[in-house]
Structures are given as C-alpha cells and as structure tokens.
Amino acid sequence: MTSATIAGDVLAIVLAAGEGTRMKSAQPKVLHEIAGLPMLGHVLATLDEAGIGRIGVVVGPDRSDVESAVGTLAPAAELFVQRERRGTAHAVLQARAAIARGTGVLLVLFGDTPLVRAETVRKLVETAGEGVAVLGFEAADPTGYGRLLVDDGELVAIREHKDASGAERAVTLCNAGLMALAGNAALTILDRIGDDNSQKEFYLPDAVAVARGMGLPARVSVTDEAEVRGVNDRAQLAAAEAIMQRHLRQRAMVAGVTMLDPDSVHLSHDTRLGPDVLIEPHVFMATGVSVAAGATIRAFSHLEGCEIGAGCTVGPFARLRPGARLAEKAKVGNFVEIKNAAVDAGAKISHLSYIGDAHVGAEANIGAGTITCNYDGFRKFHTEIGAHAFIGSNSALVAPVTIGAGAFVGSGSVVTGDVPADALAVARGRQVVKPEWAIGFRARPENLAKANRAKAKRE
C-alpha cells in the first residue's frame, strides 16, 4: 500500500487529559501555545498534514476549554473523557467505541508533544505492520527515559530507567511515547495490559510485552530527539518554542526571505512571507500576518492579524494591529500604529501617528502626529481619507469624518466636519503676535530679580 492509503486507514487517538501541574497554570497544559498555536493544535495539524482524518481526543473531566479548542481546531474529531487517571493505556481505552468500529492502524499521540512531523507519523504507521511500532530516538542524555531494547531488528522490551540494569542504562535508544498498533489486534492488546505496578495504573509501553506474548512483531521507528521533546513545565515550553522558531525561520529563508538577524525574529505558525521580503532584527509577528513579495519590515516592529502588500515598508518601531491592510508600496514609518484600517497603494504614514477604523486613499500623505479619533467612549466610528489627500502634522480627525480626495488639512487642526475634495481645512486657534511683548515681560521687577539670581549662580 502507498503512504496515502495507509494514512487513510488510521485512527489517531490524541491523549490530552493531563492537567500539567508542573506548568503552574490554571490553563490546561495542552492549550499553552507555541508559535501562537496551542500545543494540541500542532499535533492535530500534523495529523491533518499526514492525511489522517479519523481522530479521537481524550480529555479530562470538566475540561470544556479543551473540548472547545478541539471543536475549533479539528471539528470532525471525536471527544472522549478520562474521568479517572489510571495511566496512558487506560486513557486510550476511553476511545474504545471508536477503536471497536475498526481501523487498519491505531495511532497514539500526546497533546504535549507538539514538534512531531507528519513524515515521522507516516513512517511510524507504516512500521506497525501486524504488530506494534514504537517511536524512538537516540538521547544525548538518556537518564530518566525508558530504554528500547532491540535484538536483531525486533523490539524486545521497553525498560524504564528505574528498572534497568547497568548495561541497559547504557542504551541510548529511548522511548518517545508515540505508538502504532495493528488495528485488528489493538483492543486485544490494550485489554491485556495489567496494572500490576506500584501506581496501579495501566501503562501503554506494556503493549510491547503483550504483543510479543501474542506472537506479534514489535519494532522501532527512529526519529530525531528534538522532534519528540515533550513539554511538562515552562522551561520545556520555552525550549520547544525555540525549536519551532528555528524551524519556521529556516523554512522562510529557504523560500526566499532575508533575515538580517534570524534569532531575533519571532514568527507564528501561520505567518506567510513572500519572496524577497526583508526582515530586520527584533521583529515580532503574531498570528494572522501575511507579507507580500519585496516588502521590508524594519527593526522592532510588532505585527498581528495584518496584510502587507508587495513592496511596502513598515517600521522601524511600527505596530500593525488586527485588520490593518497595506496595499502595494504603502509606507508605515516609525512609531506608527495602524488598527482595522486599509491603506491604499503608495500612501505614506511616516511618523508618530495612530490610524484606526479608517481608509487611507492611494498616495495620500499623513503628517507626523496625526490621529484618527475613532472612539467616543461607547462606539467606534470611521474616518475616510481620499486619494492624494494631505493631512498636516499634529492633526486630529474626529470620526465620523471624510477628507475628500486631494484635500489639504492644515497642521495642528482638529477636524470635526467633512472636507470636500481639493479643499483646504484649517481648524485651530488664530495666531496672535504682539511685538516686543517679551521685553516688557522680562523687565517686570519679579522677573528681573529672578533672572539676576540665575545669572549670579551661573557666574
């Protein structure tokens, strides 16, 4: 059979019932994010990429948050609840109804192992054959891991570290936890796993001994250690994030993106970058960001939920919030914030401005310090700025308001009414100049005495 055929006849059970007490968090462990996506989401995305459509997720009791996340991330997945925590094999058996409906291969994964690749999953499934396949890795430091004892290509046993002999502890091939079982034997194997241990729990690794006792083969599929890192605490979460970031940056650079200092750039799982995009140091891209070909993102910019057109320039120190949409060759400069606004081709918002709930027409120029006053404390309102309009520095546009195409707004204006196309609007106090006023002001006795004291101190 081809890989596609095998993947299509797989039932994947994802174990996501653990509370993750070592995370020290009110949030369940599997919902902690890596690259902007919950760890559970990464596992489900891997299954989708591998072509595995039948999925069951085992959650803990009263975990509506995890159930809701599964409904969003994988709507077709079945949910099963493990009300008693009696080990990993016990958790898998909570999906008995799905397993009993039949499958070619039963695949077991963990919601806190988010870095596993689709090709690794496919290889593990193919290795199962008529028995059991365990995912293994060569550990740099095997301390604490279960050892995979192999003889002539067959997996003989999984020996936990505390039970291993000196010779067995020298083995560096370790158990990653993921397992594939032949579908026609899966329930029999799982039901024969006992709880004869100090914790009185049913452990999935015991499936190897059970399968061999049934005369079924047991094998190992080996992958890289970094790929199978589990996450049990915040430090391991950070380590997994670092691995994911390296992967995302490498993939982007291979696709034609230039990063001047890759290690300082943060990407999200869904970041889309076109060819010849240039990213300067210390750029943070949260979820929902797409950047078209030839755009430049300058240093210390923060982007989220935005679309950046071809040839645009953003930053340095720019913030693009959800709903920001820049057409080709638009410019957003230093200390500019854009939120829920469309900026058309060639428009320039170069310095120190806030543009929210607005539309900026093509080739318009927004002067430094301009803000759209879009919120009255209760509701949001829209600002429309026409093509080729010029907004003078330090202007406030009080929405709802329309600035017509080609119109000018004088610097320092507070605009509260619409401005027709090609008109000039000036909305500020009239300047008054009083000649030689300053001479008299300085000559007042109290001011003169103060000036003399300051002069004496300087001397």
Side-chain angles (χ1 to χ4, degrees), residues 274-296:
D276 292 318
V277 165
L278 171 63
I279 303 177
E280 293 184 354
H282 302 289
V283 169
F284 187 99
M285 296 191 185
T287 55
V289 174
S290 67
V291 184
T296 296

Side-chain angles (χ1 to χ4, degrees), residues 360-447:
V360 179
E363 302 293 335
N365 187 90
I366 310 299
T370 295
I371 61 171
T372 58
C373 306
N374 56 328
Y375 183 52
D376 68 356
F378 298 94
R379 294 170 295 172
K380 295 289 184 71
F381 296 95
H382 181 78
T383 299
E384 183 73 24
I385 300 173
H388 299 277
F390 184 96
I391 311 300
S393 297
N394 202 34
S395 293
L397 310 180
V398 183
V401 69
T402 296
I403 310 299
F408 275 64
V409 172
S411 298
S413 294
V414 178
V415 179
T416 58
D418 292 349
V419 180
D422 297 317
L424 168 64
V426 180
R428 60 181 181 235
R430 184 180 297 277
Q431 180 172 317
V432 177
V433 177
K434 298 183 178 181
E436 300 184 347
W437 175 90
I439 296 173
F441 177 76
R442 287 192 293 268
R444 293 176 184 175
E446 66 273 18
N447 294 340

Side-chain angles (χ1 to χ4, degrees), residues 119-260:
E119 62 189 82
T120 300
V121 167
R122 285 192 289 261
K123 182 181 175 184
L124 178 63
V125 167
E126 293 167 5
T127 305
E130 297 301 316
V132 173
V134 174
L135 188 63
F137 64 97
E138 289 288 347
D141 178 6
T143 305
Y145 291 111
R147 307 305 202 276
L148 301 181
L149 308 181
V150 178
D151 183 25
D152 196 24
E154 286 288 315
L155 177 59
V156 176
I158 301 179
R159 190 82 73 234
E160 295 305 319
H161 180 86
K162 60 184 175 57
D163 301 322
S165 67
E168 290 169 342
R169 289 188 178 187
V171 173
T172 57
L173 182 62
C174 296
N175 180 24
L178 282 71
M179 185 178 291
L181 302 89
N184 58 3
L187 272 180
T188 302
I189 293 171
L190 292 168
D191 280 332
R192 292 186 181 183
I193 293 174
D195 63 350
D196 186 17
N197 53 67
S198 59
Q199 300 297 319
K200 303 300 291 180
E201 293 186 349
F202 300 89
Y203 296 130
L204 188 61
D206 291 346
V208 171
V210 171
R212 287 180 59 82
M214 294 169 57
L216 300 175
R219 302 184 181 91
V220 178
S221 179
V222 180
T223 191
D224 184 72
E225 180 175 8
E227 187 180 346
V228 292
R229 286 178 182 267
V231 175
N232 295 301
D233 57 32
R234 304 294 180 122
Q236 291 177 348
L237 181 69
E241 178 74 56
I243 292 170
M244 179 64 73
Q245 288 300 321
R246 286 197 295 271
H247 168 72
L248 293 173
R249 292 189 293 254
Q250 179 68 20
R251 186 172 67 183
M253 290 186 287
V254 168
V257 174
T258 296
M259 297 184 187
L260 301 185

